[in-house]
Amino acid sequence: MSGVSTLTTPDRPPVRAWLPTMLTLAAIWGCSFLFISVGVRELHPMYLALGRVLCGSLALLVILAIKRESLPREPRIWAHTFVLGAIGSAIPWTLFGYGEQRVPSLLAGIWNGITPLIVLPVAVLVFRTEKFTVQRVLGLLVGFAGMMVVLGAWNLEGGADLTGQLLCMTAAFFYGIAVPYQKKFVAGSQLSGTALSAGLLLCATVQLAVVAPIVTGTAPPAPWSLSAEVIGSVVALGALGSGIAFVLSLRNIRLIGASMASMVTYLMPIFAIAVGVAVLDEHLTWYQPVGALIVLTGVAVSQGVLRSFRLRRPKTPLPVEATPVP
C-alpha cells in the first residue's frame, strides 16, 4: 500500500518511459506468489509474513534516509497506519501463506486479481467515497461470475483446494477494504507515500511479532536453520515486493496517473501463472484461466477501461493511490 498525495501527470509521456517499469513491477508482484509458495515450505505463514514486513520496513527506511524524509509524527496518522498495517499487510499476507499451503501459487495470483471488484462495493456501501453506476454494477456482476468460474462452483467438493482458494479470496477481500479505508482516512495527509508505507509496515511488523508466537506456539526459527531458497524468498518478498516495487509504482503513478498505473493489476496474474508453470511445474484446470479472463473483463468494465483505453491529460490533479501489494 502507498500513501495518497496530490500529483499531476505530465502531457502524454512516451510509452518507453513507463511500460518497462510497469512490466518490471508486474513481474515482481506476480512472482511474489512463487516466493510465498517457496517460503511456506519451511516457515509458518505467520513467520513468513513477519519476515516479509520486517524486510520491507528496512528497505523503506533506507529509502527514507536517502530521501531525507521522516516517518509520520501525528498520532492520528499512526492510528490509521496501525489499522492499515493489519488489513493491508499482516492479515492478507498471512492468509495468502495459509492458502498457498493448499493451492498452487498461480491460483493465488489469480485470486489477487479480484481486489478491484472488492474495492468498489466497500467504497460505496461502507466508506461512501464512491457511487454505483450501471457500468460499475455490470462490471461487478461479470467479475462475480468470473470468481465462480475460477472457484469451479459447479464442481465443489470441499477439501484442501476449496479451503485454500477461500483463504486467498479472503486475503483479496482485505486488500479491497484497505484501499478505500486509506482513501477516506489518509487522503488528506501531506506525507509522502514512502513515509506512510514505512509506518504501515512497521506497524505490521509489531503486530506479527506479538501475534505470531502466540498463534504458532513457537519462537521464530533461526535464519541459519533455513535453506537459501527460503531466505531469498523472504528477502525478495520484503525488499523487492514491498520496497523497490513501491518506488517503481510511485514513479509510474507520477508519470501516467493512478488509473493508468493500476493497469498493472491485469499483468500480475499473467506473470504469476507463467512462473508457477515454468518454475514450480504447477498446473491449471481449464476453467481457472477462463475465469481469470472473465474477472479481469469485469474489472475493466467497472473501471471504464473498455470504454476509453487511452492516456489523457487530467483536468484536475490525480490522487496517488496504491495497488495492493500481493
Side-chain angles (χ1 to χ4, degrees):
M1 305 293 297
S2 75
V4 179
S5 58
T6 303
L7 297 171
T8 57
T9 59
D11 289 323
R12 185 179 304 175
V15 172
R16 65 178 181 275
W18 56 267
L19 184 58
T21 303
M22 181 177 287
L23 291 175
T24 301
L25 188 59
I28 291 174
W29 280 342
C31 290
S32 293
F33 301 99
L34 164 67
F35 297 137
I36 293 172
S37 182
V38 173
V40 294
R41 294 174 182 175
E42 300 177 23
L43 283 172
H44 188 281
M46 297 202 77
Y47 281 131
L48 176 62
L50 175 58
R52 178 176 183 174
V53 294
L54 177 59
C55 290
S57 298
L58 294 175
L60 289 180
L61 287 174
V62 170
I63 294 172
L64 281 178
I66 294 173
K67 296 172 65 177
R68 297 184 179 180
E69 295 182 11
S70 61
L71 288 167
R73 296 181 180 179
E74 296 180 45
R76 182 187 69 85
I77 296 297
W78 276 110
H80 288 308
T81 56
F82 189 85
V83 175
L84 286 168
I87 64 176
S89 296
I91 295 175
W93 292 351
T94 298
L95 289 173
F96 271 123
Y98 277 115
E100 289 196 44
Q101 289 181 323
R102 299 165 174 81
V103 298
S105 67
L106 50 78
L107 193 52
I110 290 175
W111 279 115
N112 186 81
I114 75 169
T115 298
L117 297 176
I118 309 304
V119 170
L120 179 57
V122 172
V124 173
L125 301 175
V126 179
F127 298 106
R128 301 187 182 280
T129 56
E130 302 286 347
K131 294 182 179 180
F132 279 132
T133 64
V134 174
Q135 175 180 301
R136 288 176 167 181
V137 172
L138 177 61
L140 287 176
L141 293 176
V142 172
F144 179 77
M147 290 167 56
M148 293 300 99
V149 174
V150 173
L151 195 59
W154 61 87
N155 192 35
L156 292 179
E157 297 179 357
D161 181 79
L162 175 60
T163 301
Q165 292 202 59
L166 292 177
L167 286 166
C168 293
M169 185 192 302
T170 305
F173 267 82
F174 273 98
Y175 281 155
I177 297 171
V179 172
Y181 182 98
Q182 175 180 288
K183 183 174 182 178
K184 183 174 180 66
F185 295 109
V186 191
S189 172
Q190 298 302 311
L191 287 168
S192 72
T194 308
L196 182 61
S197 294
L200 182 157
L201 289 179
L202 285 171
C203 289
T205 300
V206 172
Q207 293 162 358
L208 286 168
V210 172
V211 175
I214 297 174
V215 173
T216 64
T218 60
W224 52 85
S225 68
L226 303 172
S227 66
E229 291 82 3
V230 170
I231 293 175
S233 294
V234 173
V235 173
L237 282 169
L240 288 178
S242 306
I244 294 175
F246 163 75
V247 177
L248 296 177
S249 178
L250 188 59
R251 175 185 182 276
N252 262 11
I253 289 171
R254 285 172 171 160
L255 280 175
I256 57 178
S259 296
M260 190 64 185
S262 70
M263 294 301 130
V264 69
T265 304
Y266 301 92
L267 299 175
M268 286 162 49
I270 298 174
F271 282 94
I273 292 172
V275 297
V277 171
V279 179
L280 298 178
D281 195 28
E282 295 175 341
H283 302 282
L284 285 172
T285 55
W286 68 267
Y287 53 81
Q288 289 164 345
V290 170
L293 289 174
I294 298 174
V295 167
L296 293 179
T297 300
V299 172
V301 171
S302 67
Q303 294 183 343
V305 175
L306 298 182
R307 183 181 61 184
S308 178
F309 186 73
R310 64 181 183 272
L311 286 171
R312 290 177 294 181
R313 185 176 181 176
K315 297 180 181 179
T316 57
L318 290 173
V320 176
E321 297 177 7
T323 298
V325 179

